[in-house]
Amino acid sequence: MHALTLNLMVQHLSRLDVSFAALSDPTRRGVLEQLGRSDASITELADRFHMTLTGMKKHVGVLEQAGFVTTQKVGRVRTCKLGLRRLEEEAAWIETYRQLWATRFDALDHVVAALIRKEEMDE
Amino acid sequence: MHALTLNLMVQHLSRLDVSFAALSDPTRRGVLEQLGRSDASITELADRFHMTLTGMKKHVGVLEQAGFVTTQKVGRVRTCKLGLRRLEEEAAWIETYRQLWATRFDALDHVVAALIRKEEMDE
């Protein structure tokens, strides 16, 4: 395989690692849903999810690293908003898998149907 | 909120925790893609992904717990195949998020367009 292609694949893979790991926590998914409705400060998010400021900062850091959130500090307030990554790669991976899955189980359906027909003919 | 609804939501959330965590590893995603093509034994998967049997067993265990893989031992060979979960909930969560995201950025586009129009009229 061409070195550049391999390199891109590895980069792509590790980006999915980071993003799926970011999505594996209910608070972080909740924060994304919340920011989908309106921007919010770390303090507002901490209040809303019944969490310490330190805990919320950590979650926001994980989301920021995955590119899902950007933050901006004005004075003492750090405002969080949705980042530019819109889960397209994650959706694409899941879609590819679902198609594989469907093909695989369709094939199984055909085998089962053939077995049933054979049984009926043998009777 | 009704206790049952809340309970279902929490169950649903923790299932997404488990499944997104399972997907956050390149080997585990690779195993799912591989099993989408054909069933395979733990030994075959370990060979294919250049991994020890113990390492592969651990990965398969994580996928099994998420419901993505089922295994069956016949004699000394444990065969892995795709489980019945087809990432529908994961796809649905991602789709909901993408819609929120699109709405949010569309709204921003309108604000920017309005500002540009205002500027043009002020000139």
Side-chain angles (χ1 to χ4, degrees), chain A residues 12-14 16-17 20-21 23-26 29 32-33 35-39 68 82-88 90-91 93-94 97-98 100-102 104-105, chain B residues 12-14 16-17 20-21 23-26 29 32-33 35-39 68 82-88 90-91 93-94 97-98 100-102 104-105:
Chain A
H12 180 72
L13 285 174
S14 65
L16 284 179
D17 293 0
F20 281 131
L23 297 178
S24 70
D25 181 276
R29 290 195 301 276
L32 287 182
E33 287 168 9
L35 297 180
R37 289 187 206 95
S38 66
D39 297 349
F68 297 147
L82 290 186
L84 289 176
R85 287 206 57 211
R86 47 188 301 172
L87 297 188
E88 267 172 2
E90 294 71 22
W93 189 88
I94 286 182
Y97 172 80
R98 293 176 75 193
L100 269 175
W101 195 96
R104 195 103 181 88
F105 279 78
Chain B
H12 180 73
L13 284 176
S14 64
L16 284 180
D17 293 0
F20 281 132
L23 297 179
S24 71
D25 182 276
R29 290 194 302 277
L32 287 183
E33 287 168 9
L35 297 180
R37 289 188 206 96
S38 66
D39 299 350
F68 296 148
L82 290 186
L84 290 176
R85 287 205 59 210
R86 48 188 302 170
L87 297 188
E88 268 172 3
E90 295 71 23
W93 190 87
I94 286 183
Y97 172 79
R98 292 176 76 193
L100 268 174
W101 196 96
R104 194 100 180 92
F105 280 76

Side-chain angles (χ1 to χ4, degrees), chain A residues 31-97:
Chain A
V31 166
L32 287 182
E33 287 168 9
Q34 177 57 43
L35 297 180
R37 289 187 206 95
S38 66
D39 297 349
S41 68
I42 301 264
T43 311
E44 285 163 347
L45 292 173
D47 282 354
R48 195 174 157 74
F49 292 91
H50 312 292
M51 195 165 271
T52 61
L53 273 180
T54 313
M56 184 48 77
K57 268 181 199 159
K58 215 168 153 183
H59 281 309
V60 167
V62 173
L63 291 169
E64 214 172 354
Q65 214 174 350
F68 297 147
V69 164
T70 59
T71 71
Q72 203 185 4
K73 198 163 186 177
V74 178
R76 281 157 173 251
V77 180
R78 182 173 290 279
T79 302
C80 308
K81 55 180 80 184
L82 290 186
L84 289 176
R85 287 206 57 211
R86 47 188 301 172
L87 297 188
E88 267 172 2
E89 286 162 53
E90 294 71 22
W93 189 88
I94 286 182
E95 197 39 51
T96 306
Y97 172 80

Side-chain angles (χ1 to χ4, degrees), chain B residues 39 49 59 65-66 94 117:
Chain B
D39 299 350
F49 291 92
H59 281 311
Q65 214 173 350
I94 286 183
R117 269 199 307 276

Side-chain angles (χ1 to χ4, degrees), chain A residues 100-112:
Chain A
L100 269 175
W101 195 96
T103 313
R104 195 103 181 88
F105 279 78
D106 276 359
L108 212 63
D109 282 350
H110 287 302
V111 173
V112 173

Side-chain angles (χ1 to χ4, degrees), chain B residues 22-116:
Chain B
L23 297 179
S24 71
D25 182 276
T27 302
R28 290 197 291 265
R29 290 194 302 277
V31 166
L32 287 183
E33 287 168 9
Q34 178 57 43
L35 297 180
R37 289 188 206 96
S38 66
D39 299 350
S41 69
I42 301 265
T43 311
E44 285 164 345
L45 291 173
D47 281 352
R48 196 176 156 71
F49 291 92
H50 313 292
M51 196 165 269
T52 62
L53 274 179
T54 314
M56 186 46 79
K57 270 182 197 158
K58 214 169 155 184
H59 281 311
V60 167
V62 173
L63 291 169
E64 214 173 352
Q65 214 173 350
F68 296 148
V69 165
T70 60
T71 71
Q72 203 186 1
K73 197 164 185 176
V74 178
R76 283 160 171 247
V77 180
R78 182 171 291 279
T79 303
C80 310
K81 53 181 81 185
L82 290 186
L84 290 176
R85 287 205 59 210
R86 48 188 302 170
L87 297 188
E88 268 172 3
E89 286 162 54
E90 295 71 23
W93 190 87
I94 286 183
E95 198 39 51
T96 307
Y97 172 79
R98 292 176 76 193
Q99 277 166 18
L100 268 174
W101 196 96
T103 314
R104 194 100 180 92
F105 280 76
D106 276 359
L108 211 63
D109 281 350
H110 286 304
V111 173
V112 172
L115 283 173
I116 291 171

